[in-house]
Amino acid sequence: MTSSRVQTIPWFLTGRNIFLLGFLLFLSLTGSFLFLCYEHYESIKVQALKEDRASANLLSLLLEEHLEKVVKTMEAYASRPLLIQAIRKQDTTKATEHLAKLVATNPGIDSVVLTDKAANLWAIYPVRPEVIGMNLAHREWYQGVSREWKPYISNAMIRLVGEKDLAVHICVPIFDEQGEVIGILVNTQRTVTLSKIIERIPLDVGARSNVTDRKGYLIFSTRFAYDKELKLYPYYGVKSQITYPGDQSIPLPDPLEKGKTRYLSSSPIESCGWSVFISRDNHVLLKEGLHHYLQLGTTVLLIWVVAFGALLFLRNQILVRQIRERLQAERELFRSEERFRATFEQAAVGMALVGIDGRWLRVNQRLCEITGYPAEDLLTKTFQEITHPDDLDLDLDHVRRLLAGEFPDYSLEKRYLTRDGATVWANLTVGLVRDEQGAPDYFIAVIEDITERMEAEEKLRTLNEDLIRSNRELEQFAYIASHDLQEPLRMVSSYTQLLARRYGELLDQDAKDFIGFAVDGANRMQQLIQDLLAYSRITTRGKPPEPLDSHDALGEAVANLQATIQESGALVTTVDLPRVMGDRGQLVQVFQNLIANAVKFHRPEEPPRIHVSAERTGGFWTFRVADNGIGIESKYFDQVFQVFQRLHTRSEYPGTGIGLAICKRAIERFGGRIWVESEPGTGSTFFFTLPEVPDTKGDNK
Amino acid sequence: MSKNYVGEAIDILLVEDNAGDARLAKEAMRDSKIRNTLHHVGDGEEAMEFLYQKGKHADAPRPDLILLDLNLPRKDGRAVLEEVKTDDNLKRIPVVILTTSSDEQDILRSYNLHANCYITKPIDLTQFLKVVQSIEDFWLTIVKLPNGR
């Protein structure tokens, strides 16, 4: 598998979390949005109200200035000597002329009235004869001006003459030269004139300007109808709550529109006690900010959409990658599974996945062949069920130790019982597969049919046992031969001789000869038996090879043959002989037999000359025993080493013909070889090889 | 040497299953310089009865010399030898092992059991007579020892 690790989705992007996150993001953005909107609204409100207050102040200044100017003009007029003179004379015509002039020269003065000190009207411009002679002492303006005989600006009132609309009176007392009050000059100022001044101040949409008199009646309003009758300004009562010079505006419910709030700003006109009010509709403020809020809201929404979109996109990217990796991994898995399946199915050995309980989970064709069960039958069984009872404990013990973690796997040779009850030998190898947590998951078993091998081994074992038994029997036979065969011989020989001894004088020469033959035969028989025994003892009594000094062995052989050698006048010569591997007693016997032969088969005309030497040839020493005897024809080179093979009659050369056979057997026992080269009439050379002493022994000569 | 060299006849127990060999031994001993009485038993069991003076051998003398064949029926010669050599009353009796084979194992086992002598039964009568001669010599050596000092 290639995808060693799959990228995981951060926790906050999983499942519903991403929507929760989106919602939280939305909440925070909305909160910020609302906060910003509020801040903005507050700031523009503060700004607007500040403007309102500034406007109110400006308006009151303008009005004050205007009224002052009017008062000044009227005062200047009232002090004119001609006017005073006319008043003194009660000359209505003259006075009216003066009044007309005043009106004509001062656009802010609409209509003017002259009264006496007691407020009897006696001149008016524009002329209105019907009002001449009217006493106006009940009028508020008269009470105001007559209080201290100072200029006075009246409250709002409805005009009595002309158009019955709203007006204010500006009154100035007229003094004579002595300072006595001789009359009052009254200007009826229409609010239209004032409104022209007021309207010079531009106001924001939603802001309304209002001017009230001392009692709170509207003199001017851009909001309320005021010029046909006296109207009390609804907010006049809160005037006292507004501190001067203050920078605060107070919110009040809208008297005209339910649920709306208006912010009120105010400024007094000190000279006449009037008040200027500017009220503002907060909804208009909101409306003004609305496009801004929409913009901000759109931006916030956009930010949210982008952010949430980005989160979703990120999550999707990760998901897509995960899916891709999973697909890749699955593809890999499939491929490896495919490979595994092919390997598993086509394996030349039995393979299986085995559950921890021993049940076959998956088996291949070869295993079915080995066990003889079809796969579907095998899968309903456990390995215990088809294991040979004698091998079950061993296998279960291995399984237990494998599960205990004593070894990662094990192999053993065991028997299974096939479907038809036959026994198959198998070489079983079992490995344990653990899951991610390290707990045993299942076993992998490889089962190789080794029945043929086991049968071959069994056969070999049987053969080997047979061989051992046979050897033992041979030994037994040798013993029997040595003991039991000789007894009858002894009887024959001994009693024949006893016969000759006791009754010798009664026997003729023939009888003695016959007895001689019988004894000789028995003796030869015994010799044969003993030679045969000696031959068999080469292996049965042989010792394992050990390092030995062949020179010493030769010396002992010569010593054993001392009598024969002396008798024949033989001469045995040698050079330094090596240390070799072998059985010393047997090597002595080999030398002894070869030298004895050389002495025995010497040419009558020459005394025997025997030379023993050795040379090294690749891991072996080759010994040469050369003589100057009668020699052997080459066709007999092999025959001479066979048991009881003789080339001469017993009368020529005595012996049973066992000597060389014994030599051959002794030499070959150590992996050596023996052979002869010879020329009849010249001599024979017997060769034999023996292994050299391994270097590790360190005592090789 | 004369027969009178040793005054009293000695008792020799021959344990030999082979009648031929037993007869040969008797024949040889008959001509011996030593006066002797040869008692012959055919197997190891009977030999032990003889030595312990049991059953029909209740009156048997204590032998001065045992000639013991190794290969015997019923009770093997080696077992007889072992029993004789571990019995305080019998172990001083010299035992000469007579056997057909020159098998080394027999020799070794016999010596481990303290046989006094070992002699291979020869096939040649002449040699057999020499063996008897050697038994005589052996005997003389034995009997000489206590007296010769």
Side-chain angles (χ1 to χ4, degrees):
Chain A
M1 287 199 217
T2 54
S3 59
S4 54
R5 67 191 193 93
V6 174
Q7 187 176 3
T8 53
I9 300 183
W11 64 270
F12 54 86
L13 292 183
T14 53
R16 281 184 311 204
N17 285 359
I18 190 167
F19 294 102
L20 200 65
L21 185 70
F23 181 64
L24 285 175
L25 190 67
F26 181 76
L27 276 187
S28 67
L29 282 172
T30 307
S32 318
F33 165 69
L34 290 176
F35 178 73
L36 282 174
C37 287
Y38 174 75
E39 281 288 295
H40 179 262
Y41 169 70
E42 282 296 310
S43 79
I44 64 167
K45 191 180 84 183
V46 165
Q47 189 60 36
L49 295 177
K50 201 184 272 175
E51 273 174 32
D52 285 356
R53 282 193 298 275
S55 298
N57 286 339
L58 187 59
L59 207 54
S60 75
L61 278 175
L62 278 175
L63 284 172
E64 192 159 24
E65 193 183 65
H66 167 73
L67 290 170
E68 208 169 298
K69 205 169 108 189
V70 171
V71 167
K72 284 263 168 46
T73 308
M74 285 172 68
E75 273 179 338
Y77 229 87
S79 60
R80 281 184 172 189
L82 283 174
L83 182 65
I84 294 168
Q85 208 174 343
I87 291 170
R88 220 174 254 149
K89 289 172 186 167
Q90 290 283 302
D91 187 344
T92 308
T93 311
K94 266 285 197 234
T96 306
E97 277 174 25
H98 281 291
L99 293 178
K101 212 170 187 176
L102 177 63
V103 169
T105 53
N106 292 288
I109 297 172
D110 300 326
S111 71
V112 205
V113 169
L114 268 177
T115 69
D116 61 12
K117 194 182 175 180
N120 293 311
L121 191 155
W122 58 274
I124 183 167
Y125 184 86
V127 181
R128 301 270 180 114
E130 71 272 16
V131 297
I132 301 290
M134 275 181 76
N135 186 276
L136 302 173
H138 61 283
R139 289 294 182 114
E140 182 260 347
W141 60 263
Y142 178 72
Q143 287 155 16
V145 76
S146 65
R147 201 171 296 136
E148 293 178 34
W149 297 108
K150 280 187 176 166
Y152 179 75
I153 296 165
S154 77
N155 288 331
M157 56 168 290
I158 301 299
R159 282 204 294 176
L160 292 173
V161 293
E163 287 176 56
K164 299 224 165 126
D165 58 358
L166 195 76
V168 291
H169 300 291
I170 302 170
C171 314
V172 215
I174 305 167
F175 299 97
D176 64 3
E177 289 83 353
Q178 285 76 42
E180 286 294 317
V181 175
I182 55 172
I184 304 163
L185 183 63
V186 182
N187 168 30
T188 303
Q189 179 85 56
R190 286 172 61 203
T191 53
V192 177
T193 314
L194 289 173
S195 68
K196 278 183 189 146
I197 295 166
I198 293 164
E199 280 160 9
R200 274 162 55 194
I201 307 295
L203 289 178
D204 286 343
V205 180
R208 294 281 187 271
S209 50
N210 305 275
V211 181
T212 66
D213 64 14
R214 293 176 194 85
K215 290 180 177 168
Y217 289 101
L218 282 167
I219 293 167
F220 173 81
S221 177
T222 53
R223 187 127 198 269
F224 301 98
Y226 65 92
D227 53 347
K228 290 296 183 257
E229 56 179 345
L230 288 175
K231 166 123 183 118
L232 196 65
Y233 184 52
Y235 290 146
Y236 189 74
V238 302
K239 190 176 93 127
S240 60
Q241 296 175 21
I242 302 170
T243 53
Y244 298 100
D247 58 351
Q248 71 185 70
S249 307
I250 57 170
L252 294 162
D254 193 323
L256 295 184
E257 291 179 59
K258 280 262 185 242
K260 282 195 173 183
T261 303
R262 299 189 74 84
Y263 284 88
L264 193 67
S265 305
S266 174
S267 182
I269 303 171
E270 302 287 346
S271 55
C272 57
W274 292 359
S275 297
V276 173
F277 294 94
I278 291 180
S279 73
R280 178 180 285 270
D281 179 2
N282 69 325
H283 283 232
V284 175
L285 276 176
L286 279 174
K287 211 175 279 173
E288 204 173 297
L290 196 60
H291 77 280
H292 183 74
Y293 305 145
L294 280 175
Q295 219 172 3
L296 191 66
T298 312
T299 311
V300 163
L301 203 63
L302 211 64
I303 290 172
W304 180 78
V305 165
V306 167
F308 190 53
L311 282 178
L312 281 175
F313 180 72
L314 186 67
R315 192 177 78 138
N316 277 11
Q317 281 297 99
I318 296 173
L319 276 177
V320 164
R321 194 175 309 152
Q322 268 185 347
I323 289 167
R324 198 179 296 143
E325 279 171 0
R326 204 169 296 145
L327 279 175
Q328 179 73 22
E330 273 169 18
R331 211 174 297 136
E332 287 288 329
L333 195 65
F334 178 75
R335 238 179 262 151
S336 85
E337 175 73 9
E338 191 63 20
R339 272 198 296 274
F340 171 70
R341 199 190 61 77
T343 314
F344 190 84
E345 285 304 332
Q346 292 160 19
V349 294
M351 291 180 82
L353 304 187
V354 182
I356 299 304
D357 59 351
R359 196 159 292 283
W360 299 99
L361 301 177
R362 191 168 166 181
V363 296
N364 74 346
Q365 185 54 40
R366 180 73 188 108
L367 185 61
C368 294
E369 290 166 16
I370 292 172
T371 59
Y373 287 99
E376 57 271 22
D377 285 7
L378 201 51
L379 292 177
T380 64
K381 295 189 175 302
T382 61
F383 79 82
Q384 293 94 324
E385 284 175 68
I386 65 163
T387 294
H388 192 286
D390 292 352
D391 295 343
L392 187 56
D393 286 346
L394 179 68
D395 200 2
L396 288 178
D397 184 55
H398 277 78
V399 165
R400 187 184 57 71
R401 293 169 65 186
L402 181 64
L403 287 171
E406 285 184 35
F407 35 62
D409 49 54
Y410 70 83
S411 287
L412 60 89
E413 287 176 353
K414 61 175 274 190
R415 283 162 290 179
Y416 287 101
L417 295 175
T418 66
R419 189 190 197 182
D420 48 20
T423 299
V424 281
W425 271 100
N427 185 14
L428 168 70
T429 303
V430 180
L432 177 61
V433 177
R434 292 175 183 274
D435 61 17
E436 292 87 347
Q437 280 78 47
D441 201 356
Y442 58 88
F443 300 109
I444 294 180
V446 175
I447 297 140
E448 192 184 352
D449 186 351
I450 54 165
T451 305
E452 279 181 29
R453 200 191 83 201
M454 293 304 282
E455 279 172 357
E457 279 178 12
E458 184 62 34
K459 195 176 280 178
L460 206 63
R461 198 160 34 239
T462 313
L463 282 176
N464 205 29
E465 279 170 9
D466 286 350
L467 199 65
I468 289 168
R469 192 165 49 243
S470 158
N471 272 349
R472 212 180 293 133
E473 282 167 2
L474 203 65
E475 257 180 89
Q476 193 63 30
F477 168 76
Y479 185 81
I480 290 166
S482 70
H483 187 265
D484 296 347
L485 288 186
Q486 289 193 68
E487 210 168 66
L489 271 181
R490 200 168 54 245
M491 294 302 103
V492 172
S493 166
S494 298
Y495 283 97
T496 318
Q497 286 177 69
L498 194 59
L499 212 59
R501 196 180 166 89
R502 288 270 177 89
Y503 308 102
E505 54 271 28
L506 301 177
L507 297 175
D508 61 3
Q509 190 53 45
D510 278 354
K512 285 174 181 167
D513 286 348
F514 299 163
I515 286 173
F517 285 125
V519 171
D520 185 47
N523 284 344
R524 275 194 355 249
M525 179 78 175
Q526 194 188 30
Q527 189 58 48
L528 280 170
I529 289 168
Q530 278 171 357
D531 283 354
L532 203 56
L533 266 177
Y535 181 73
S536 81
R537 279 177 183 150
I538 292 294
T539 47
T540 58
R541 300 277 184 267
K543 295 189 190 79
E546 55 183 11
L548 63 94
D549 190 336
S550 60
H551 205 267
D552 282 357
L554 178 63
E556 190 175 327
V558 170
N560 289 345
L561 293 168
Q562 198 56 47
T564 321
I565 288 170
Q566 275 181 356
E567 191 183 316
S568 62
L571 184 62
V572 181
T573 58
T574 185
V575 291
D576 241 7
L577 293 179
R579 287 174 69 79
V580 290
M581 297 298 289
D583 178 335
R584 192 175 185 279
Q586 293 186 356
L587 184 58
V588 169
Q589 191 163 15
V590 168
F591 277 133
Q592 201 171 314
N593 288 359
L594 290 177
I595 291 167
N597 274 354
V599 170
K600 185 159 74 180
F601 298 106
H602 77 275
R603 282 176 288 161
E605 66 274 20
E606 274 184 68
R609 292 284 176 271
I610 301 147
H611 183 69
V612 182
S613 61
E615 66 180 71
R616 199 192 206 126
T617 43
F620 281 87
W621 283 95
T622 303
F623 288 85
R624 292 162 56 96
V625 180
D627 66 43
N628 60 344
I630 58 173
I632 307 165
E633 284 182 66
S634 62
K635 61 180 174 185
Y636 299 122
F637 283 178
D638 286 336
Q639 202 180 321
V640 294
F641 293 105
Q642 289 170 18
V643 180
F644 300 142
Q645 285 298 323
R646 299 170 49 86
L647 299 181
H648 308 279
T649 61
R650 279 166 41 82
S651 54
E652 285 176 303
Y653 298 99
T656 55
I658 198 83
L660 288 174
I662 286 176
C663 290
K664 183 175 160 72
R665 205 160 188 212
I667 294 301
E668 287 179 350
R669 199 162 75 85
F670 300 115
R673 218 155 58 77
I674 187 166
W675 69 99
V676 64
E677 286 173 10
S678 177
E679 212 173 298
T682 308
S684 305
T685 304
F686 283 84
F687 298 87
F688 64 89
T689 62
L690 280 175
E692 63 178 17
V693 178
D695 279 343
T696 49
K697 297 279 184 181
D699 54 1
N700 198 354
K701 212 174 191 176
Chain B
M1 291 215 193
S2 73
K3 283 182 181 180
N4 299 328
Y5 183 79
V6 175
E8 280 183 47
I10 59 167
D11 289 299
I12 297 174
L13 175 62
L14 173 66
V15 191
E16 171 64 70
D17 62 320
N18 190 321
D21 277 330
R23 179 64 187 276
L24 269 181
K26 279 179 187 166
E27 292 299 330
M29 293 312 288
R30 202 178 67 182
D31 297 339
S32 175
K33 298 184 282 278
I34 303 166
R35 277 180 52 220
N36 61 76
T37 312
L38 192 71
H39 308 271
H40 172 229
V41 293
D43 61 62
E45 292 289 344
E46 202 182 343
M48 294 320 295
E49 281 177 14
F50 185 94
L51 289 168
Y52 290 135
Q53 300 170 324
K54 284 180 184 167
K56 62 177 179 178
H57 297 292
D59 299 327
R62 186 179 183 273
D64 299 297
L65 177 69
I66 301 171
L67 300 178
L68 179 63
D69 186 24
L70 274 185
N71 295 287
L72 296 169
R74 294 172 70 192
K75 190 164 189 150
D76 189 69
R78 284 172 281 270
V80 174
L81 178 62
E82 187 173 357
E83 201 168 334
V84 168
K85 288 299 168 187
T86 51
D87 187 300
D88 284 342
N89 290 326
L90 302 176
K91 67 182 176 188
R92 293 188 188 282
I93 303 172
V95 180
V96 173
I97 305 292
L98 294 173
T99 189
T100 326
S101 103
S102 55
D103 195 291
E104 298 94 325
Q105 284 190 358
D106 284 338
I107 295 169
L108 285 174
R109 281 188 199 159
S110 300
Y111 275 98
N112 280 346
L113 292 170
H114 310 290
N116 297 71
C117 187
Y118 178 90
I119 290 164
T120 307
K121 286 185 244 174
I123 197 161
D124 195 84
L125 182 66
T126 322
Q127 284 180 24
F128 189 77
L129 293 177
K130 281 182 187 164
V131 166
V132 174
Q133 176 72 53
S134 71
I135 292 172
E136 284 171 357
D137 292 345
F138 169 77
W139 172 249
L140 292 176
T141 312
I142 298 290
V143 296
K144 257 177 147 176
L145 280 174
N147 298 337
R149 295 277 171 96

